[in-house]
Amino acid sequence: FAVVGDVQGKGASGAWREAATWLASRQPAFWVAVGDLVDMGQDRAQWDAFLADGKSLMEQSPIRAVVGNHDLYRDGKPEGKKFISEYPSILFDLFPQPAPMADEPFDGWYSFTNSNALVIVLNAYAYPPPGHALASDPRAYEEQSRARQMVWAREQLAQSKATHTFLVLHPPVYSSGAHGVAGDQPYERAVSELADEFKVAAVFSGHVHAFEVSKPLRAGAVVEGGAG
């Protein structure tokens, strides 16, 4: 399978078209777009350009989309802000997935299996849908959703018989990039502890616009000899 970082397109992109064409030639079973597919998620024209330039890949292999912070944004003018976050309805409409819990609407987190692999997609930027009780407090909604996701993901991993398991989310757990984190914040720590507990093969993320691969880690430390 393939993992695609932040395309974050603002319109037609020759670089994205070239990358998509190359990836299509590799014929992946599926591909995961790890968030920030466009620059302004509330701008349908940007999505149209993303789809048009990635057509060769999308015709070849199914996409599994991850919610990134830019996928919630609209232009902040005339309010005077750079970006304003809103429920990512365009992304959800374009790339629908079944809700992980029958009694809850889709919230951007889900899992799927392919061959002998289980992939768990997390949404670090859950945003309340219009009319929700926490519509006026998106930060509280995000925190509650993150907590529910950890419980659900642990259940998914505990029940899994897959040979290989992967976690995917937009922000990294560890990074030396521009948005560098050291795995010591509550959410990052929860994700890394989950990966440790169930010996997840790899955690894929985007956000920092840099290519980084860590040495094998357990409990925040390098595993000697590269053991899993």
Side-chain angles (χ1 to χ4, degrees), residues 192-217:
S192 62
E193 289 174 353
L194 190 68
D196 287 346
E197 181 180 349
F198 292 97
K199 294 182 170 57
V200 168
V203 179
F204 294 108
S205 60
H207 197 51
V208 298
H209 296 203
F211 181 74
E212 298 179 291
V213 180
S214 76
K215 295 180 178 180
L217 300 171

Side-chain angles (χ1 to χ4, degrees), residues 1-226:
F1 63 93
V3 178
V4 176
D6 303 32
V7 175
Q8 205 166 318
K10 300 179 181 180
S13 169
W16 166 227
R17 184 166 58 252
E18 181 180 357
T21 301
W22 182 86
L23 283 170
S25 73
R26 309 299 294 178
Q27 299 183 333
F30 61 90
W31 61 288
V32 181
V34 293
D36 285 5
L37 285 69
V38 297
D39 190 56
M40 294 278 191
Q42 306 300 334
D43 184 342
R44 181 56 197 247
Q46 293 188 7
W47 287 106
D48 290 342
F50 172 80
L51 295 171
D53 290 335
K55 181 179 178 181
S56 59
L57 179 56
M58 294 182 209
E59 289 180 339
Q60 168 63 45
S61 308
I63 178 177
R64 305 294 187 174
V66 181
V67 178
N69 52 304
H70 277 264
D71 301 317
L72 280 66
Y73 290 163
R74 68 172 173 87
D75 193 330
K77 299 175 182 179
E79 290 88 342
K81 299 178 181 178
K82 184 177 181 181
F83 299 128
I84 292 179
S85 295
E86 294 179 355
Y87 184 72
S89 56
I90 298 178
L91 184 151
F92 289 168
D93 288 345
L94 289 173
F95 310 115
Q97 297 289 339
M101 298 181 181
D103 58 342
E104 293 189 17
F106 181 63
D107 202 25
W109 40 286
Y110 57 98
S111 66
F112 64 94
T113 57
N114 188 287
S115 185
N116 59 352
L118 168 68
V119 181
I120 293 178
V121 175
L122 301 174
N123 179 10
Y125 304 100
Y127 199 87
H132 191 276
L134 289 175
S136 62
D137 193 351
R139 179 63 67 182
Y141 181 89
E142 179 183 274
E143 291 177 356
Q144 289 185 15
S145 178
R146 286 180 171 187
R148 291 199 309 274
Q149 290 177 54
M150 290 299 102
V151 173
W152 164 81
R154 177 168 278 101
E155 292 175 349
Q156 293 287 300
L157 289 166
Q159 298 168 5
S160 175
K161 304 298 182 183
T163 305
H164 308 289
T165 54
F166 303 94
L167 293 178
V168 186
L169 68 164
H170 182 63
V173 177
Y174 302 97
S175 174
S176 61
H179 298 291
V181 290
D184 57 353
Q185 297 302 308
Y187 183 65
E188 287 81 12
R189 190 163 58 246
V191 173
S192 62
E193 289 174 353
L194 190 68
D196 287 346
E197 181 180 349
F198 292 97
K199 294 182 170 57
V200 168
V203 179
F204 294 108
S205 60
H207 197 51
V208 298
H209 296 203
F211 181 74
E212 298 179 291
V213 180
S214 76
K215 295 180 178 180
L217 300 171
R218 294 295 175 205
V222 174
V223 177
E224 295 297 331

